[in-house]
């Protein structure tokens, strides 16, 4: 995934030293929190696989699909990275 991401950023002409997929994860999380997004739903997007046994039971323990989409839509992606 890392090589794919590096080539993708280069094609978009936004490849800079220190800019990586992990940087976007952090920026996305920060922007969602600034706009009032809930960590429980954010966690289900950024880290969908949980290690606890309890998290494997039941449905919608961390937000349904509509809630996750609403959280993603909070971010103004045009402002995340400007050259």
């Amino acid at each position: 995934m890392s090589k794919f991401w590096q080539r993708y950023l280069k094609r978009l002409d936004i490849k800079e030293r220190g800019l990586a997929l992990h940087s976007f994860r952090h920026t996305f999380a920060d922007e969602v929190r600034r706009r009032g997004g809930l960590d429980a739903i954010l966690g289900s997007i950024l880290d969908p696989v949980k290690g606890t046994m309890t998290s494997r039971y039941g449905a919608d323990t961390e937000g349904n699909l509509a809630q996750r989409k609403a959280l993603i839509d909070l971010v103004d992606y045009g402002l995340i990275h400007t050259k």
Side-chain angles (χ1 to χ4, degrees):
M1 183 64 154
S2 183
K3 286 183 182 182
F4 164 82
W5 188 249
Q6 296 302 321
R7 286 188 293 249
Y8 182 69
L9 291 177
K10 193 171 185 173
R11 268 189 302 185
L12 294 176
D13 195 31
I14 60 172
K15 178 63 184 123
E16 296 176 10
R17 186 169 178 74
L19 188 63
L21 180 59
H22 197 72
S23 305
F24 284 108
R25 287 173 54 96
H26 280 274
T27 302
F28 175 75
D30 289 343
E31 290 300 312
V32 165
R33 287 182 182 123
R34 280 188 197 107
R35 289 168 171 76
L38 300 175
D39 273 357
I41 299 171
L42 178 61
S44 71
I45 294 169
L46 295 178
D47 186 24
V49 179
K50 298 290 182 188
T52 65
M53 184 57 74
T54 305
S55 67
R56 297 178 191 174
Y57 297 107
D60 296 335
T61 59
E62 296 169 333
N64 60 36
L65 187 57
Q67 289 170 316
R68 293 175 190 181
K69 182 184 180 315
L71 190 105
I72 291 168
D73 290 343
L74 285 174
V75 177
D76 182 351
Y77 296 94
L79 298 177
I80 285 182
H81 180 77
T82 57
K83 214 171 177 189

